[in-house]
Structure formats: structure tokens, C-alpha cells
């Protein structure tokens, strides 16, 4: 790397064009001996990299080919609906990779935003009331009392566990409020954790390393982003044949793939800059550089290739219309800042020397 940073954070990969498991219920008479006419059978479908579908029972047991034919015959509409939804989702995720900047927070969002505890408390059990016959038959009464006592005890145990989880959440929220409302102004550890949490809200294609360092005070920050390589970007979109229960991959052109990569890596920089200026109010200037791992043609050894380096002040960043990010092209938008980048119109990058924190 070009310079040493004080802090490194690791962002875990999110779901990224990996959805391949589907749940579906199919009414199939004769597939299972215990099924009656009109009953539905819960199934799992798995779609492989080429779009072919495998069928499984709910417990993961594979369905043999004879029964799979019955599933396709009786459940075609339900299966087709699920496959179509998956096809739409995969193509939407492909498009999303080039539009990461759409979710960039505005710098006006500085400060703590409360998050509610999403888990509802367990429902109070419905205890069975005593009937007249229970008074006439003591064993039945004792059984009912035991059953009600067991239900009540299970509820109280579950409620106590829920209260513990809520208390832990509330304590974490209080600590986050202290960090984001006060600590981010002058506490480097609070700044680091806040930036980590906000960046971790994004979906990253793979485990991503982000290194950063502050200048002489908290007013300047330098960020290094490890970007994916071009070969890690998806190279296909999906369609669904009219007469087959499968998905069909269609390879996208090399030019479109380079454009997708170009838009994606600039969108990453945009998202990081947005997190910095929205969550670190003391920072007045940010320097964000993106690099990827390549093989050195002279030595065959891996090395870091910097694709861009951007230096921007808060005042310049606030000129962006964050209520109209769909109209913003991040590739062109960064040209309004101090920029080091050597890139062709088709998205081919050449080495640059990044800005250094001095």
C-alpha cells in the first residue's frame, strides 16, 4: 500500500447474486402416499450456475426424476412464478452493482438516529379454562393444571430471555448514541466504530478491507479501499424460456462488463465518501483511494494497482443534490473534485499515484 494507516476495518460480504434456493408448495397427487387430493407438498428448488433446477423435499432429500416430472407437471405455474421472481431479482442485483451511489447518505444526516428493537415479545399463552367435567374427574383436572402451568412457565422463560435481549439491545443503542452524538467529534475509536457500522450496512461483493487514518487532527481523513477485480464482477444476465422451467444465462458484452465495473468502483467511492461526511462531522476533507490486486507482468508477483484517488472538502461535497442521486453519474461527479485517475472512455484503468495524507 502507498502509506500506512492507523486503522483497518473488514466488511463482511453480503448476498450478491448468490440467491439460488427457492421454497414452493405444489399440489401433487400420487407423489406421496399420505397426500390426499388437493393437498400441497412443500418443496425446495435449487438453481445452479447454468440455470438448471433441482428439486428437493422440504428436509433436503433429493426428488428422483420420476417424481420431479410429476412436480413439474402439477406445479408448473407455482414453479414458473418463483423462477421468474428469481430471474428478476438477479437482474436487479446486477443493475444495482452499477448504482451503489443511489444509496449515498446526505451530509445533513449527521447525528444519531434511533433504531427500534425489532423483535416482538412472546405472545401470552391461551390457558385452558376448567370445565365442569374436570371437577368430576380429578385426574383430568390435574392434567389440565399441569399443562397450563407448563405453558405459563415456558412463556415466562421466553419472556425473560426476550427481556435480556432487549436490555442488551438498549445498552448497545445507548452506547451507539454516545458515539454518534458525541464521540465522533474527537474520539478516534468512536469515529472508527461509527464508520465501520455505517459502511457495514452496504452489501459488498466480497470481504472488503478499508483502511483509514486521520491527519494532524480530526479534520482530515484518508481512506484506502480494496476493490474487487474485474474478474469478480458478474458476466451474465438472466432470461426465462417460455416453455421450460429453468433460467437461461446470457453473457453480457465485454464493453458492458467494463462499464459495470467502472460504475461499481466509483459507486463504492461515493458510498464511502457519503458515510464519512454524514457520520464524521468533524471531518472537513476526505481523501479516498481505490486499489485492486493485480499481477505484476515483470515479476509475476501480486501488487496493488490504484485506480483512482479523490480529494474532496465537505463544502464541495455538500454541493451534490442528494435528493436526485439517480441523475448523478459518479464517474463524472468525482471530476469536480481533486482527482487522480487514468481511465479510458471504455473503463480501462492504468496505474496512478494516490494522494498521501500529510
Amino acid at each position: 500500500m502507498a502509506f500506512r494507516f492507523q486503522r483497518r476495518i473488514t466488511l463482511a460480504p453480503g448476498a450478491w447474486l448468490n440467491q439460488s434456493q427457492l421454497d414452493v408448495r405444489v399440489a401433487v397427487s400420487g407423489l406421496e402416499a399420505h397426500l390426499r387430493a388437493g393437498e400441497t407438498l412443500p418443496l425446495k428448488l435449487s438453481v445452479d450456475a447454468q440455470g438448471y433446477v433441482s428439486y428437493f423435499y422440504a428436509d433436503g432429500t433429493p426428488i428422483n426424476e420420476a417424481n420431479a416430472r410429476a412436480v413439474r407437471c402439477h406445479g408448473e405455474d407455482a414453479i414458473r412464478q418463483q423462477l421468474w421472481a428469481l430471474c428478476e431479482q438477479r437482474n436487479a442485483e446486477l443493475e444495482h452493482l452499477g448504482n451503489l451511489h443511489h444509496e449515498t447518505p446526505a451530509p445533513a444526516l449527521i447525528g444519531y438516529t434511533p433504531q427500534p428493537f425489532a423483535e416482538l415479545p412472546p405472545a401470552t399463552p391461551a390457558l385452558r379454562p376448567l370445565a365442569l367435567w374436570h371437577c368430576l374427574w380429578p385426574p383430568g383436572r390435574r392434567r389440565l393444571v399441569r399443562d397450563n402451568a407448563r405453558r405459563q412457565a415456558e412463556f415466562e422463560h421466553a419472556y425473560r430471555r426476550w427481556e435480556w435481549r432487549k436490555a442488551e439491545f438498549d445498552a448497545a443503542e445507548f452506547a451507539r448514541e454516545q458515539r454518534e452524538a458525541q464521540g465522533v467529534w474527537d474520539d478516534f475509536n468512536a469515529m472508527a466504530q461509527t464508520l465501520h457500522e455505517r459502511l457495514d450496512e452496504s452489501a459488498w461483493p466480497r470481504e472488503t478491507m478499508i483502511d483509514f487514518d486521520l491527519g494532524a487532527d480530526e479534520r482530515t481523513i484518508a481512506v484506502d479501499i480494496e476493490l474487487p477485480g474485474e474478474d469478480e464482477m458478474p458476466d451474465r444476465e438472466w432470461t426465462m424460456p417460455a416453455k421450460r422451467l429453468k433460467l437461461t444465462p446470457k453473457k453480457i458484452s465485454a464493453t458492458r462488463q467494463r462499464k459495470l465495473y467502472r460504475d461499481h468502483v466509483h459507486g463504492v467511492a461515493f458510498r464511502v465518501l457519503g458515510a464519512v461526511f454524514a457520520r464524521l462531522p468533524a471531518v472537513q476533507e476526505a481523501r479516498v483511494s481505490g486499489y485492486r490486486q493485480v499481477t505484476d507482468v515483470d515479476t509475476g508477483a501480486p501488487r496493488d494497482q490504484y485506480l483512482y484517488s479523490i480529494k474532496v472538502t465537505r463544502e464541495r461535497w455538500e454541493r451534490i443534490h442528494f435528493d436526485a442521486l439517480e441523475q448523478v453519474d459518479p464517474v463524472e461527479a468525482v471530476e469536480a473534485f481533486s482527482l487522480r485517475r487514468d481511465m479510458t472512455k471504455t473503463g480501462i484503468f492504468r496505474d496512478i499515484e494516490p494522494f498521501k495524507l500529510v
Side-chain angles (χ1 to χ4, degrees):
M1 299 175 63
F3 47 92
R4 184 179 179 182
F5 284 81
Q6 291 187 3
R7 184 63 60 91
R8 163 170 286 197
I9 57 179
T10 302
L11 304 175
W16 193 60
L17 302 174
N18 289 328
Q19 175 67 27
S20 61
Q21 302 294 324
L22 302 171
D23 294 318
V24 64
R25 298 191 69 91
V26 178
V28 186
S29 58
L31 180 59
E32 292 285 309
H34 63 274
L35 286 180
R36 297 188 297 271
E39 287 188 323
T40 60
L41 182 67
L43 303 174
K44 291 185 177 296
L45 311 182
S46 178
V47 184
D48 66 17
Q50 298 303 316
Y52 291 100
V53 181
S54 299
Y55 299 85
F56 301 85
Y57 294 106
D59 63 359
T61 304
I63 298 177
N64 62 40
E65 181 54 33
N67 283 337
R69 284 196 297 270
V71 167
R72 290 192 291 269
C73 177
H74 293 277
E76 179 177 357
D77 290 342
I79 296 170
R80 184 172 295 279
Q81 183 177 6
Q82 292 287 336
L83 289 176
W84 177 253
L86 177 60
C87 181
E88 292 285 290
Q89 178 184 335
R90 286 185 171 183
N91 288 334
E93 289 176 345
L94 178 68
E95 183 176 355
H96 177 256
L97 290 175
N99 294 320
L100 284 183
H101 68 289
H102 289 179
E103 301 166 15
T104 303
L109 296 178
I110 286 175
Y112 167 74
T113 303
Q115 297 293 330
F117 185 56
E119 182 184 349
L120 296 175
T124 304
L127 303 181
R128 294 176 56 196
L130 286 170
L132 177 61
W133 68 270
H134 289 115
C135 300
L136 302 176
W137 189 42
R141 177 190 178 94
R142 290 193 294 271
R143 186 180 304 114
L144 176 63
V145 170
R146 286 196 304 270
D147 184 58
N148 281 343
R150 176 184 58 78
R151 292 184 181 205
Q152 185 65 30
E154 290 175 349
F155 163 74
E156 292 175 356
H157 177 70
Y159 193 86
R160 285 193 298 271
R161 291 176 62 85
W162 176 84
E163 286 184 316
W164 274 108
R165 291 192 294 273
K166 186 176 186 304
E168 291 175 347
F169 175 85
D170 290 342
E173 273 295 289
F174 178 75
R176 187 170 70 85
E177 180 180 9
Q178 297 301 303
R179 287 195 307 272
E180 297 193 4
Q182 301 176 23
V184 291
W185 287 94
D186 54 16
D187 184 330
F188 183 75
N189 288 325
M191 296 173 73
Q193 187 168 350
T194 297
L195 187 60
H196 190 176
E197 290 172 349
R198 298 289 77 79
L199 290 173
D200 220 13
E201 294 174 350
S202 303
W204 301 90
R206 61 177 176 84
E207 184 176 82
T208 301
M209 302 294 183
I210 293 184
D211 302 88
F212 62 95
D213 189 13
L214 295 171
D217 55 27
E218 295 81 13
R219 296 175 57 83
T220 305
I221 190 172
V223 183
D224 244 17
I225 311 168
E226 183 184 36
L227 299 168
E230 286 190 69
D231 57 346
E232 296 179 69
M233 299 297 289
D235 61 353
R236 62 190 63 186
E237 58 187 359
W238 297 87
T239 60
M240 187 169 176
K243 297 184 179 180
R244 297 185 64 186
L245 293 178
K246 69 178 294 288
L247 299 183
T248 301
K250 179 183 177 183
K251 193 173 181 64
I252 62 179
S253 68
T255 300
R256 183 183 172 191
Q257 190 174 13
R258 283 197 302 271
K259 181 181 182 300
L260 177 65
Y261 182 75
R262 178 200 68 185
D263 293 345
H264 177 71
V265 297
H266 284 84
V268 170
F270 227 73
R271 288 290 297 274
V272 171
L273 282 166
V276 166
F277 286 121
R279 297 303 179 185
L280 304 182
V283 171
Q284 298 302 311
E285 181 180 280
R287 306 177 187 189
V288 172
S289 303
Y291 70 95
R292 64 186 177 188
Q293 289 281 315
V294 297
T295 301
D296 192 300
V297 295
D298 294 330
T299 65
R303 67 175 180 87
D304 297 338
Q305 180 191 33
Y306 279 86
L307 308 187
Y308 54 69
S309 191
I310 306 163
K311 181 165 62 174
V312 55
T313 64
R314 178 178 293 274
E315 185 272 331
R316 294 295 298 273
W317 182 252
E318 290 176 346
R319 296 181 188 180
I320 296 172
H321 291 265
F322 289 91
D323 56 348
L325 287 174
E326 294 80 3
Q327 308 301 319
V328 175
D329 181 351
V331 179
E332 295 184 6
V334 297
E335 295 175 0
F337 314 134
S338 296
L339 173 67
R340 292 180 180 176
R341 182 184 68 193
D342 189 353
M343 181 190 73
T344 68
K345 292 183 178 180
T346 57
I348 297 175
F349 291 91
R350 290 182 284 266
D351 294 74
I352 58 101
E353 182 69 22
F355 291 114
K356 295 183 179 181
L357 187 62
V358 295

